[in-house]
Amino acid sequence: MRPSLLVLLAIPLLSTARAADAMSSQERADRFLSLVNASYQALYYVESQAVWKAATDVTDAHDAASTAASKARAAFMGNPALIEETRQLLRLRGDLNDLSVRQLERLLLSAAESPMTNPQLTAARIEAETAQSSILNSFEFKLAGKVVTANEIDKLLNTSTDLAERRAVWEASKTSGPALRDGLVKLRDLRNSVAREMGHADYFSLQVAHYGLSTEEMLKLNDDFMVVLEPLYAQLHTWTKYKLAGRYKQPVPKLIPAHWINNRWAQEWPGLAEGTDLGPMLKDRTPEWIVKTAESFYTGMGFEKMPASFWTKSDLYPVPKGGRKKNTHASAWHLDLDSDIRSLMSIEPDPRWFTTAHHELGHVYYFMSYTRPEVPPLLRGGANPGFHEGFGELTGLASAQVPYLKAVGVLPADFKADETAFLLNDALDGGIPFIYWSSGVMTHWEADIYARNLPATEWNTRWWKYVREFQGIEPPAERGEEFCDAATKTHINDNPAYYCNYAFAQVFKYQLHDYIARKILKQPPQSCSYANNKEVGDFIRKIMAQGMTGDWRKILRDATGEDLSTRAMVEYYAPLLKWLEKENAGRPIGWK
């Protein structure tokens, strides 16, 4: 019988351990890490290709191939011999260079995702996650008995002024929850059990370990974000509910009904700031133009063009109805941790996809920047997970600046912008409400189900408790435990305990943007353009190129001169807060 790949890979691991006494600690680590990096990269590529096929063309065969490839990578990365050698080398960390220590620490975190100390448990998790993704990716939403796409749901929420229709659309968007509920309950228990195999208290604590933080420290960090921004959010909430009550000719509510907001989860509040709608300017553009413009954002700053294979291998546009089923959530993929870089989107020529395409290419250019010999495959990732989302968010913020929109021809050169309106749009559409969604609802709910083992019979009740408490939003009617509205969000299923990274990214992006605008461009942060500025490109590339080779705190401090702080975010919106206070004079502020 031909030996399996795992057996072949395990032989050098054992040889390394036996030869440990014959070489220095650093030589031993170098030999070990050379083997692991090569094997990790090869297995990662096989798995990524299989997962890509399963995400872009949902079939039983592709799901089975994805499961098999994930099990193969898990068998190596969670190999008990690999774990033991990693732990032994970390006991000698005083004799090792920092790069080796970082790779070894990364190895233990990776092993904790798929520990083969309990192969049955790891296999069960992989199988359950593949099944959950298949349900998510193939789910058909229906409105009035007809199949509708996620893009069509979003368009209706952005255009309809009929509250009965809006409610029907909103409720249709929640129908995937019950289909995903049982699988999520199973996955909660499997993920927690997997994390405990390697000594982590639960799955949430495993995820925040990438920051060097405990669960309580991460929750406090997110609570601190919300405390600092609360005066602005309360003013925004008040202005918004008065604006929407006028639009729909309804009494002003205390809590905003969820179906009044143009976003399915009320994580962003678009379409409210008059004079900022880019829809008419983009409707005659092609989806290809949107992606090419996002690429030009980076090439204009001195970055290389994306590989030619990006254009042939990515899946960028909507699938016609009746065609294959694919995941409709935008994402960027670094399949081989080298040059096979792709994106999965469903681009249409509208403002949301204009911003989203810029965001996703922020990830792509991060991939390209740290893919260099000095950064081993194990460390080809963001300095922490929030850095990756932060660069995507930074690109999205920069692409919404009026001078940039003029530079790329979205707005005419003589366009007279209402600066307050555009600042209000920045705050509503991906700025301030998003913090209370990400730091509040998502982060706390996932901490509850993983770290505190919240009974599944209380999941939807807790979800809406947090939506009311943190966002000031309520459903159009009570939502019982027969629903699982949290599960309608892709990340809850496919990227669990991840949303704290988006919250970090919001704060991080304003710090970088503030430095770029003030120190490099010498322009106001609220109205600036990165277009064709090589110095901005050099600043961004210097951070990106480090990957995970340095401590994220030091990388941020070295780049901006300060620790993580909401200072830049507060200052960015200071003019808006003054305006809102005048607009809301005499009104009850907030909802608490």
Side-chain angles (χ1 to χ4, degrees):
M1 182 185 296
R2 199 165 70 116
S4 69
L5 174 63
L6 179 58
V7 171
L8 291 173
L9 292 172
I11 291 171
L13 286 178
L14 296 172
S15 300
T16 298
R18 292 187 188 116
D21 295 335
M23 62 183 81
S24 71
S25 298
Q26 186 62 59
E27 289 172 331
R28 175 181 170 187
D30 289 344
R31 179 176 173 179
F32 174 69
L33 289 169
S34 176
L35 161 76
V36 171
N37 272 296
S39 303
Y40 166 68
Q41 187 172 14
L43 288 164
Y44 186 92
Y45 194 24
V46 171
E47 180 188 30
S48 296
Q49 290 178 94
V51 175
W52 172 267
K53 286 183 179 178
T56 56
D57 186 8
V58 182
T59 67
D60 290 343
H62 288 163
D63 287 345
S66 174
T67 297
S70 294
K71 286 181 177 179
R73 183 169 76 98
F76 178 71
M77 296 304 291
N79 188 312
L82 182 147
I83 293 170
E84 179 56 29
E85 178 67 0
T86 302
R87 285 173 166 164
Q88 285 189 26
L89 285 166
L90 281 171
R91 294 186 191 107
L92 305 171
R93 67 174 62 226
D95 299 328
L96 305 179
N97 60 40
D98 184 65
L99 191 67
S100 296
V101 171
R102 290 192 176 281
Q103 290 177 81
L104 293 167
E105 290 175 338
R106 167 72 174 160
L107 258 179
L108 282 188
L109 286 174
S110 295
E113 294 281 356
S114 53
M116 296 307 287
T117 50
N118 190 334
Q120 291 79 17
L121 174 63
T122 295
R125 177 196 169 179
I126 291 169
E127 291 165 4
E129 289 187 331
T130 301
Q132 190 79 346
S133 293
S134 185
I135 295 170
L136 177 72
N137 295 342
S138 63
F139 189 82
E140 289 187 334
F141 298 100
K142 290 184 178 179
L143 181 64
K146 295 181 179 179
V147 173
V148 289
T149 66
N151 274 358
E152 288 171 335
I153 285 173
D154 292 336
K155 284 180 182 177
L156 283 167
L157 288 176
N158 274 294
T159 57
S160 176
T161 56
D162 182 328
L163 283 180
E165 180 183 43
R166 295 185 65 85
R167 176 171 173 175
V169 172
W170 183 88
E171 288 175 344
S173 78
K174 302 302 173 190
T175 53
S176 60
L180 292 160
R181 183 185 183 280
D182 289 348
L184 186 59
V185 173
K186 182 178 181 180
L187 276 170
R188 186 270 301 272
D189 296 336
L190 287 170
R191 287 165 176 161
N192 272 347
S193 295
V194 163
R196 289 169 187 144
E197 275 292 310
M198 292 283 288
H200 295 274
D202 52 77
Y203 193 76
F204 193 93
S205 71
L206 169 59
Q207 298 311 301
V208 302
H210 289 272
Y211 289 81
L213 298 176
S214 67
T215 293
E216 294 309 315
E217 288 169 335
M218 179 58 81
L219 291 175
K220 184 180 185 306
L221 180 68
N222 280 271
D223 287 344
D224 289 346
F225 293 162
M226 292 189 289
V227 168
V228 171
L229 294 166
E230 186 171 5
L232 176 56
Y233 187 62
Q235 291 287 341
L236 272 176
H237 186 278
T238 301
W239 181 89
T240 297
K241 66 186 178 185
Y242 274 82
K243 178 77 171 178
L244 290 172
R247 175 181 289 180
Y248 301 125
K249 298 179 174 55
Q250 297 292 313
V252 177
K254 183 176 182 181
L255 298 162
I256 301 173
H259 65 301
W260 286 20
I261 301 289
N262 287 1
N263 178 274
R264 284 176 266 167
W265 302 277
Q267 66 185 62
E268 297 149 356
W269 300 353
L272 290 171
E274 295 177 6
T276 64
D277 182 15
L278 300 179
M281 290 78 167
L282 291 169
K283 66 182 178 63
D284 295 326
R285 303 284 188 172
T286 65
E288 292 82 1
W289 180 87
I290 286 179
V291 193
K292 289 287 187 181
T293 300
E295 181 186 39
S296 296
F297 175 88
Y298 276 96
T299 57
M301 295 189 296
F303 287 82
E304 296 292 325
K305 286 189 174 184
M306 293 185 293
S309 60
F310 174 87
W311 302 103
T312 57
K313 293 183 176 181
S314 290
D315 191 334
L316 300 172
Y317 311 117
V319 175
K321 283 186 180 179
R324 61 187 164 87
K325 293 181 173 66
K326 74 171 191 177
N327 188 314
T328 58
H329 184 79
S331 53
W333 298 56
H334 197 188
L335 279 82
D336 63 349
L337 299 174
D338 191 13
S339 59
D340 190 350
I341 294 169
R342 309 179 196 178
S343 184
L344 172 59
M345 294 191 267
S346 295
I347 301 171
E348 297 191 14
D350 61 34
R352 182 173 72 90
W353 280 110
F354 181 81
T355 302
T356 299
H358 280 76
H359 175 107
E360 295 308 327
L361 265 57
H363 290 296
V364 165
Y365 275 94
Y366 205 167
F367 298 153
M368 292 169 61
S369 296
Y370 57 60
T371 300
R372 56 196 187 95
E374 295 83 359
V375 181
L378 280 168
L379 299 181
R380 290 181 185 172
N384 67 36
F387 264 58
H388 236 301
E389 295 304 336
F391 277 112
E393 287 293 307
L394 176 66
T395 312
L397 175 65
S399 72
Q401 301 281 305
V402 169
Y404 174 75
L405 293 169
K406 290 182 178 182
V408 298
V410 173
L411 293 175
D414 60 353
F415 181 82
K416 303 297 183 185
D418 181 334
E419 293 181 0
T420 299
F422 272 85
L423 190 57
L424 176 62
N425 191 61
D426 282 349
L428 292 169
D429 193 0
I432 305 304
F434 190 83
I435 285 286
Y436 290 82
W437 158 255
S438 55
S439 289
V441 177
M442 289 288 282
T443 294
H444 281 267
W445 189 83
E446 290 199 284
D448 281 356
I449 73 163
Y450 289 108
R452 297 178 179 126
N453 213 36
L454 180 71
T457 53
E458 300 175 22
W459 281 10
N460 217 44
T461 301
R462 183 65 55 87
W463 176 259
W464 284 104
K465 174 182 183 293
Y466 283 154
V467 172
R468 290 182 173 96
E469 178 182 327
F470 292 118
Q471 291 182 278
I473 305 289
E474 64 179 353
E478 286 302 313
R479 307 281 293 175
E481 291 299 331
E482 70 271 23
F483 301 106
C484 188
D485 293 322
T488 66
K489 192 65 183 171
T490 294
H491 304 75
I492 295 287
N493 303 282
D494 284 352
N495 291 287
Y498 189 82
Y499 241 82
C500 55
N501 301 318
Y502 285 109
F504 176 99
Q506 286 293 314
V507 175
F508 173 75
K509 80 174 181 186
Y510 285 99
Q511 279 190 264
L512 293 188
H513 180 73
D514 184 78
Y515 186 93
I516 289 168
R518 296 182 190 278
K519 304 289 187 180
I520 301 175
L521 298 173
K522 312 297 183 186
Q523 297 172 11
Q526 299 87 350
S527 183
C528 63
S529 176
Y530 298 10
N532 302 316
N533 192 298
K534 303 299 191 292
E535 190 177 353
V536 174
D538 290 342
F539 172 78
I540 292 173
R541 188 186 297 104
K542 184 177 180 181
I543 304 171
M544 286 181 163
Q546 297 178 67
M548 289 189 278
T549 61
D551 180 83
W552 68 265
R553 299 167 185 81
K554 184 177 185 301
I555 291 173
L556 177 60
R557 196 179 306 118
D558 288 348
T560 66
E562 64 180 348
D563 294 326
L564 183 69
S565 168
T566 52
R567 175 203 59 78
M569 198 171 184
V570 169
E571 290 181 5
Y572 186 89
Y573 290 114
L576 178 64
L577 178 59
K578 291 181 180 179
W579 180 84
L580 286 167
E581 288 170 342
K582 290 180 181 177
E583 288 289 303
N584 288 330
R587 296 171 174 173
I589 304 302
W591 68 95
K592 297 181 181 179

